Amino acid sequence: MASGEDLQPAAVQELLDQMVARTVAGTGAHAGALLLLEPGGEVLVLDASLGMPTGFVGLLRRMRVAAAAEGPLPEAIIQRHLVWVGSGEEFARRYPHLALTFPFLGAVAAAPLVAGSRVWGAMLVLLSQESSAMDTRARGRFTTAARCIAVLLQEAAEAGHRVQPGLKPRLLPPTPTHPLAPAHPQAAADFIAALPEGACRADARGIITFVDRTAADLLGESIPDLLGARIWEAVPWLAPAPHRLRYQAALASQLPTSCTVKQPRTGREVLLQLYPDRTGVSLRLSVPAGAAHSPDELALGAGVVLGPADLDAHCHMMQLSIGLAAAASADEVVEVVAGHLLVALHAQAFAVLVAEAGRVRVVGHHGFSQELADLVDHAPLASDFPVPGLTSSAPSWGLTQGVPSFFADRGERLAAFPGSAAIDDDLGAWAWLPLMASQEFVGVCLVGYRMPHSFTLQERAALTAISALISQALDRARRYDAKHELAEGLQASLLPRTLPTVHALEAAARYLPASHGMEIGGDFYDLIRLSDTEAAAVIGDVQGHNVSAAGLMGQVRTAVHAYAVAGAASGQVLARTNQLFTDLDPGLLTSCLYAHIDLVHHRAQLATAGHCPPLLRHPDLHTDVLAAPPGPLLGVDPKAEYPTTDIPLPPGTLLALYTDGLTETPGIDHETALTGLATVLSEATGSLDDIADALLAHAQPSGDRADDTALLLVKVR
């Protein structure tokens, strides 16, 4: 426990910086970063970094944990464990969107800062491409350091000095990796001066710390002008994005790289060879011998030039376009825009509004007051409230034809649109971007700045391009949302709306669609009341995840229900359903389990058509996996017979029927998964609804489901 004096903000910050530096050195990493969660727990903010490439620092400055679809930091925080990515190839497989932005990352490790039940943030370290593994000792040091940092943060907060990230992250000075003996400087200078190549050294931020005369001559600048300046600012012809990204690539991968660039003043080509380490990059400059080398550009192409602060913006623009391409719903579109658009444009507010059923609908917003959003949302298109391009009282200025509008200050907006004085949004500049779908105007994206802002031609072009990306993503998302709503409605209509009340029997059921695709499948369940003392529990799984599977599922459930009510025994219910199923010749197979429950004699008769074995929890909470003799799947053999098994059901017994979505987990064999499920059922407490939720949480902790899942629990009272 640290003393009160040690927990003063300045002392805590100094301790944190020391711990970050020691962790980077102790794990063999070349760069590290400390990120803290904002009080709401949804946003990670970069607090300090050491040796991180400038572009990567830009992406780390602020990220939404819930909105991030992928990444080692959100994964570490959500799962609360160390995340280790052993190579660039593995990084690309696990986080493809991030890898498109930073394809040169090597090994990465991330650990959550957890103290007790509280997560305070996360720590990230980068290792070279050649670091194929972090040994057990290094991993132990990393996780221990993360725990120590978390405890320090918690103690500071309890002492009333909660650590808050600054407006800008702290850039920690690197530890020298090549200490020089006092007698060596002159010898080193003489050695370098005698070489035909030029030598230059820059730190992780690109600031030049050493340059010799040969290098200065090849760069076309004087030594005083180069020292202390960023290399791409002091040498304008190295400012294009490919050269700056190459520098970031060398730092992130810790691998040498090179390129040939034409010096514009002399017209001669200069060969740049970059050799990175954890403190920066050493550059060798020379005139290539023989034929000119072709510039080995990164994917952007040599013609792309970014402004002074635009490398970070460029990375966010790439992430924005990638995220919009992957967004599957309108909510996801808004999350992506909120996470990257504002940072890329250095803006403070945005809103997406569309016309829907004769009214304005606010799809999403950030930076506008909730009162203003509520005032606009669902306003009639014929209202007097001025919504650009949508309501009848607001002129479109060409918005409906796809022409954006830009207002550098409030005066420009009022001059063009006097009625906009009614919009009290506390902003100083605006871009109103039309959203077009299939050449038709469907809405508008509003981008706002707190202070007056003159829009350059480059910014106007970028904003226009962004509006096209948002339009396409929103159009796809709205179509997906409509399809999803249709699928949910169809699925709900084919499953029981409620379970019937049966004396002396409790029941609970769950159905969860697959996480991907149309989210409709063939899993079904039913509880059929046969009399005051009899009931039937049914569960099944039709092959496929589409409308055909769902439609066939409805037919199978109806057939089982009809034969059960008609008084058929368990085996006969499945046999007759199988005959009907075969006559229909649907081209799909179905598994099914039928249990006839007799509440007078406290027994159940089971028959199964190739379905998952049910679980039986006894009154003493011991759980068995019932191995009922299986019959063939429905639809295989029209003459198939289905044997039955009788089991006792004394009061307090719980019968669990489920589909394979509950036991199919990547990397875990079926028997292990089934044993784990039985253990959870034995230990679960509370109501049947609580037990059902516990089973689902165990089987699908991340909420990601490759298959749809049905679960039916019945308990004898």
Side-chain angles (χ1 to χ4, degrees):
M1 177 73 71
S3 67
E5 185 175 342
D6 292 338
L7 294 175
Q8 293 297 318
V12 172
Q13 189 177 90
E14 184 177 354
L15 279 173
L16 288 174
D17 293 350
Q18 292 174 1
M19 295 169 82
V20 170
R22 290 171 183 169
T23 303
V24 171
T27 55
H30 63 81
L34 176 67
L35 298 97
L36 303 180
L37 280 171
E38 286 189 341
E42 296 180 355
V43 178
L44 265 178
V45 180
L46 179 63
D47 182 55
S49 72
L50 189 157
M52 282 284 177
T54 306
F56 204 53
V57 168
L59 282 184
L60 294 176
R61 281 186 180 175
R62 186 178 179 84
M63 64 170 61
R64 292 171 179 262
V65 174
E70 60 182 34
L73 287 166
E75 183 179 337
I77 287 179
I78 293 171
Q79 301 294 338
R80 297 198 176 191
H81 62 60
L82 172 70
V83 174
W84 164 251
V85 185
S87 66
E89 291 78 7
E90 184 182 351
F91 191 92
R93 286 194 301 271
R94 292 175 62 172
Y95 314 116
H97 290 170
L98 282 176
L100 283 174
T101 305
F102 282 92
F104 36 71
L105 286 178
V108 176
L113 307 179
V114 181
S117 60
R118 182 74 177 269
V119 181
W120 293 92
M123 187 169 179
L124 179 78
V125 294
L126 305 184
L127 296 95
S128 71
Q129 293 276 15
E130 299 170 350
S131 300
S132 57
M134 179 187 278
D135 61 37
T136 304
R137 184 176 298 178
R139 293 191 193 200
R141 283 195 292 264
F142 187 37
T143 53
T144 299
R147 283 196 297 270
C148 291
I149 291 173
V151 170
L152 177 61
L153 292 170
Q154 181 161 306
E155 290 179 354
E158 291 172 351
H161 303 300
R162 176 174 177 143
V163 177
Q164 299 283 1
L167 295 177
K168 290 185 178 181
R170 300 188 305 284
L171 301 178
L172 307 183
T175 303
T177 54
H178 309 291
L180 198 63
H184 287 180
Q186 186 58 51
D190 293 340
F191 171 79
I192 293 172
L195 295 175
E197 300 98 350
C200 180
R201 177 72 181 178
D203 66 13
R205 295 168 293 171
I207 294 176
I208 299 172
T209 57
F210 169 81
V211 61
D212 70 1
R213 185 166 300 282
T214 303
D217 290 341
L218 289 172
L219 293 173
E221 304 292 340
S222 68
I223 292 177
D225 288 339
L226 292 170
L227 287 174
R230 292 182 188 270
I231 189 168
W232 41 79
E233 294 174 356
V235 186
W237 49 276
L238 291 181
H243 310 318
R244 297 173 68 178
L245 288 178
R246 181 176 303 283
Y247 194 90
Q248 308 295 334
L251 275 174
S253 67
Q254 292 291 286
L255 294 176
T257 184
S258 64
C259 63
T260 303
V261 187
K262 182 172 289 188
Q263 217 270 43
R265 295 179 186 173
T266 62
R268 65 182 176 183
E269 292 184 331
V270 177
L271 174 62
L272 301 177
Q273 296 172 284
L274 288 73
Y275 299 91
D277 64 18
R278 70 169 62 174
T279 64
V281 176
S282 295
L283 293 90
R284 288 175 60 188
L285 296 87
S286 60
V287 177
H293 291 70
S294 297
D296 182 17
E297 305 293 4
L298 290 173
L300 297 173
V304 181
V305 180
L306 300 177
D310 286 295
L311 188 58
D312 292 354
H314 171 75
C315 293
H316 279 281
M317 288 287 284
M318 290 183 66
Q319 289 291 92
L320 175 65
S321 61
I322 293 168
L324 288 175
S329 68
D331 288 340
E332 288 183 17
V333 171
V334 172
E335 287 286 354
V336 170
V337 173
H340 295 289
L341 177 70
L342 299 182
V343 178
L345 300 177
H346 307 291
Q348 287 75 48
F350 88 94
V352 176
L353 300 86
V354 298
E356 195 171 88
R359 293 182 177 272
V360 177
R361 178 179 166 233
V362 179
V363 177
H365 70 94
H366 180 86
F368 290 99
S369 68
Q370 190 58 47
E371 292 77 11
L372 180 60
D374 292 340
L375 187 62
V376 174
D377 198 22
H378 295 96
L381 296 182
S383 72
D384 293 332
F385 193 84
V387 180
L390 294 176
T391 55
S392 57
S393 64
S396 68
W397 305 290
L399 281 174
T400 54
Q401 284 73 47
V403 180
S405 295
F406 302 95
F407 305 102
D409 54 42
R410 183 174 293 272
E412 283 191 13
R413 194 188 73 178
L414 291 175
F417 181 21
S420 67
I423 305 177
D424 183 16
D425 53 17
D426 195 30
L427 295 175
W430 300 261
W432 291 357
L433 311 172
L435 302 177
M436 312 293 290
S438 302
Q439 305 301 316
E440 293 187 4
F441 176 75
V442 296
V444 61
C445 177
L446 309 179
V447 179
Y449 297 78
R450 294 290 178 211
M451 303 298 292
H453 179 85
S454 297
F455 294 92
T456 66
L457 290 176
Q458 184 180 4
E459 286 177 314
R460 293 178 184 232
L463 284 163
T464 303
I466 288 171
S467 69
L469 290 175
I470 296 174
S471 299
Q472 296 167 7
L474 190 61
D475 185 44
R476 286 194 307 270
R478 295 177 78 191
R479 283 189 272 114
Y480 175 87
D481 287 345
K483 186 189 293 185
H484 174 70
E485 186 177 345
L486 174 63
E488 280 192 332
L490 176 59
Q491 192 83 55
S493 69
L494 296 174
L495 292 171
R497 253 187 259 178
T498 59
L499 296 177
T501 301
V502 180
H503 179 68
L505 196 68
E506 290 183 66
R510 295 288 187 275
Y511 174 81
L512 295 176
S515 301
H516 310 286
M518 193 173 177
E519 300 187 4
I520 186 170
D523 288 14
F524 66 94
Y525 63 85
D526 205 354
L527 182 65
I528 307 167
R529 185 179 184 278
L530 302 177
S531 70
D532 290 342
T533 59
E534 292 178 294
V538 188
I539 198 149
D541 185 356
V542 178
Q543 177 187 14
H545 300 88
N546 50 39
V547 175
S548 298
L552 188 60
M553 173 265 282
Q555 292 176 312
V556 173
R557 178 175 163 251
T558 301
V560 170
H561 195 111
Y563 292 130
V565 172
S570 300
Q572 283 300 306
V573 169
L574 292 185
R576 293 177 186 178
T577 302
N578 177 57
Q579 290 173 355
L580 175 63
F581 195 72
T582 307
D583 291 341
L584 293 174
D585 190 23
L588 298 173
L589 301 178
T590 298
S591 67
C592 186
L593 176 68
Y594 182 92
H596 180 275
I597 300 172
D598 183 346
L599 296 168
V600 173
H601 300 94
H602 297 295
R603 299 194 67 81
Q605 186 182 70
L606 308 180
T608 176
H611 197 75
C612 306
L615 302 177
L616 185 69
R617 190 176 84 169
H618 300 278
D620 64 359
L621 302 185
H622 171 71
T623 298
D624 289 325
V625 179
L626 299 179
L633 295 170
L634 302 180
V636 174
D637 179 6
K639 298 181 180 180
E641 296 182 355
Y642 295 88
T644 61
T645 300
D646 286 352
I647 59 171
L649 282 183
T653 303
L654 189 156
L655 184 65
L657 312 182
Y658 57 92
T659 57
D660 56 8
L662 202 63
T663 56
E664 290 184 347
T665 304
I668 301 178
D669 64 86
H670 179 71
E671 292 301 323
T672 302
L674 196 55
T675 302
L677 196 66
T679 301
V680 173
L681 183 58
S682 295
E683 297 173 350
T685 58
S687 66
L688 283 191
D689 286 322
D690 294 334
I691 294 173
D693 292 339
L695 292 173
L696 291 173
H698 166 76
Q700 299 148 352
S702 68
D704 190 38
R705 299 176 297 277
D707 195 2
D708 53 338
T709 302
L711 173 66
L712 177 62
L713 302 179
V714 291
K715 182 178 181 180
V716 181
R717 285 191 279 203

